[in-house]
Amino acid sequence: MIKDAKSLLEAEKSKLEEELKYYNSEDPFLVPGRDTNNFDDDITENEGHDRTEAVMRELESRLAEVGKALERVEEGAYGKCANCGKNIPEERLKIYPTASLCLDCERR
Ligand SMILES: [Zn+2]
């Protein structure tokens, strides 16, 4: 179970890193030689930039969670609630592999 969780988390980690790389290269503000004089284009690019930023923030926070979950695997603390120490049900970990709290504690 713990071994499964580790490979699952590592797969998730590289997937998120790939996505981040993709968004890094898709950011129009990072494309060299773009036309800065066209007003309409700038509006579109600004909107694209904001959306990209939001997605990247989301990806980064998920990546941080996966990183923390991997640390817990290393420490042997994975699958245990960080608050009450009870085992987090496997069904919950399957849906939400980075969970650090049991449902009861998270609801509180
Ligand atoms: Zn708990």
Side-chain angles (χ1 to χ4, degrees):
M1 162 62 206
I2 300 267
K3 218 180 159 199
D4 284 0
K6 195 178 174 182
S7 46
L8 200 119
L9 287 164
E10 271 165 355
E12 177 77 2
K13 194 181 164 199
S14 40
K15 204 184 90 196
L16 289 168
E17 281 168 349
E18 279 300 309
E19 279 182 49
L20 264 174
K21 237 186 270 170
Y22 172 76
Y23 280 106
N24 262 319
S25 60
E26 282 299 295
D27 191 334
F29 275 61
L30 298 175
V31 175
R34 72 192 182 93
D35 182 7
T36 49
N37 298 320
N38 189 315
F39 188 66
D40 288 340
D41 268 7
D42 275 0
I43 289 178
T44 315
E45 282 179 4
N46 268 317
E47 281 175 357
H49 185 67
D50 287 350
R51 263 198 303 273
T52 305
E53 283 251 306
V55 173
M56 282 176 74
R57 266 197 301 272
E58 166 74 20
L59 287 173
E60 272 162 9
S61 74
R62 273 164 63 196
L63 199 57
E65 274 190 29
V66 171
K68 272 185 251 168
L70 275 168
E71 273 173 35
R72 290 197 298 276
V73 172
E74 294 301 325
E75 289 162 3
Y78 183 80
K80 285 198 177 71
C81 175
N83 188 52
C84 69
K86 273 186 220 154
N87 286 328
I88 300 172
E90 232 174 276
E91 299 79 60
R92 174 162 162 73
L93 288 171
K94 264 183 209 148
I95 302 162
Y96 183 31
T98 57
S100 61
L101 293 173
C102 68
L103 261 184
D104 285 348
C105 291
E106 194 172 86
R107 281 194 186 126
R108 250 170 246 156

